[in-house]
Every structure is written in C-alpha cells, then in structure tokens.
Amino acid sequence: MSDFFVHESSYVDDNVIIGNDTKIWHFSHILSHTRIGENCSFGQNCVVGPRVTIGNGVKTQNNISIYEGVTIEDDVFLGPSMVFTNVINPRSFIVRREEFKKTLLKKGCSIGANATIVCGNTIGEYAFIGAGTVVIKDVPDYALVVGNPSRQIGWVSKAGHKLNFNEDNLAICPETKERYFIEDNSVKLF
C-alpha cells in the first residue's frame, strides 16, 4: 500500500500506481494505466497519461502534460510549462493514435522552462536542455543543448555544471570534483 499525497482538486483515474512520498498538487489529472515512482512531485495543472511510466525522484513543475508514448526515468527535472508532443504531423480531422512516437528521458536529465520535446527522440542521461529549446533530435548523455532548432553547445556534469575539457580530454566538475573524459563525441564519468 503506497503512502502518497493527492490534492483534493486533482483526479486520479483507476488502474494507476503511485509510489510512496509522491505529491500531486492542485488541478492535476493522472490518467489510467500510468505508473509513477516514489518521491516524485507534480506541480499545479499537470496531466499525465494514459499509459505513461515515470521513475523515482522526478520533479514536474506547473503546467505540464505528459502524453502516451513518453517514458521518464529516475531523477528527471521538468521545468515549468515545458511541452511534449506525441505525433509528428497532427491534424484535428485525422485520428493518428496508432502513430504515437516514443520519447525517452533518461536518468537525471533536466528540461528547462518552456522547452519543447518533439516526439520520437531520446534525451540522454544527465543532459541539460535550456529554457525555450525545441528538441528535434536525440541528445547525448551529459550534453548541453539550447535553441530553436536545438543545437549542442557543450557538456555538463551530473550536478549540471558546464564542463571544460583540457587537451587531455579531461574535465572536473567544480562542485563535486568528479572527473569526466570525452572521446568520440561521448562523455564518460571516471
């Protein structure tokens, strides 16, 4: 039996699993067949599902809809009013439910306020998507991505600090002192 909080103004449909210590605040709706992990937080005016899976420790700010086709791993941050899509070429007069594209947000990534994640893409582990960015392609682990259309402008640590690689392809996070190595456009933590 889970111990979670749902504000009285919110709705949770049948066949939903919500983990311990998760909080769902004002005017939100969790649709059926959705699974939400432990220690998550959903701000005001969020809609989740149906058939969405969300890991543990996910922080969802106000005004976010997480549609069918989206999977979110542990410790992801979703900034206020960021947007997911689930169809590439929507038309109000054509039903395209069978064409929903899968979108994956990997462990620890952060999505800035008002960013748009176009469906069918994967956001890598600990990647950082700047506010207002429109993501149109896969994002590598630890990548720092901004703009419309999205473009990579650097790399970040697990703690979210920009990494500055030296001539030996090494960088150190200024906060955690963790060491990172870059090779073949891929960053690894030592």
Side-chain angles (χ1 to χ4, degrees), residues 27-115:
F27 314 116
S28 292
H29 187 182
I30 311 301
L31 285 85
S32 63
H33 304 290
T34 292
R35 176 189 286 286
I36 298 171
E38 297 181 351
N39 298 308
C40 294
S41 176
F42 292 83
Q44 179 173 289
N45 194 36
C46 292
V47 176
V48 183
R51 291 173 285 284
V52 166
T53 300
I54 297 174
N56 299 316
V58 173
K59 304 297 182 221
T60 304
Q61 301 296 296
N62 296 344
N63 307 314
I64 297 175
S65 294
I66 303 172
Y67 300 119
E68 183 173 350
V70 176
T71 299
I72 300 173
E73 294 184 353
D74 296 345
D75 303 322
V76 169
F77 176 85
L78 303 175
S81 301
M82 63 80 52
V83 175
F84 290 102
T85 70
N86 61 2
V87 174
I88 293 293
N89 58 342
R91 293 287 194 215
S92 66
F93 54 90
I94 300 173
V95 176
R96 292 197 163 125
R97 290 189 184 276
E98 301 304 317
E99 298 179 28
F100 287 171
K101 302 289 185 199
K102 303 293 185 196
T103 300
L104 173 61
L105 274 62
K106 290 187 162 186
K107 180 179 175 64
C109 69
S110 291
I111 312 298
N114 294 307

Side-chain angles (χ1 to χ4, degrees), residues 85-167:
T85 70
N86 61 2
V87 174
I88 293 293
N89 58 342
R91 293 287 194 215
S92 66
F93 54 90
I94 300 173
V95 176
R96 292 197 163 125
R97 290 189 184 276
E98 301 304 317
E99 298 179 28
F100 287 171
K101 302 289 185 199
K102 303 293 185 196
T103 300
L104 173 61
L105 274 62
K106 290 187 162 186
K107 180 179 175 64
C109 69
S110 291
I111 312 298
N114 294 307
T116 299
I117 309 301
V118 175
C119 60
N121 294 300
T122 296
I123 310 300
E125 288 188 7
Y126 304 103
F128 197 103
I129 308 302
T133 298
V134 179
V135 175
I136 59 169
K137 59 187 175 185
D138 290 347
V139 174
D141 296 348
Y142 301 102
L144 175 59
V145 174
V146 298
N148 180 7
S150 57
R151 66 188 181 288
Q152 185 176 345
I153 62 167
W155 302 97
V156 294
S157 68
K158 284 172 77 172
H161 294 284
K162 191 166 185 185
L163 294 172
N164 297 306
F165 288 91
N166 64 21
E167 63 279 351

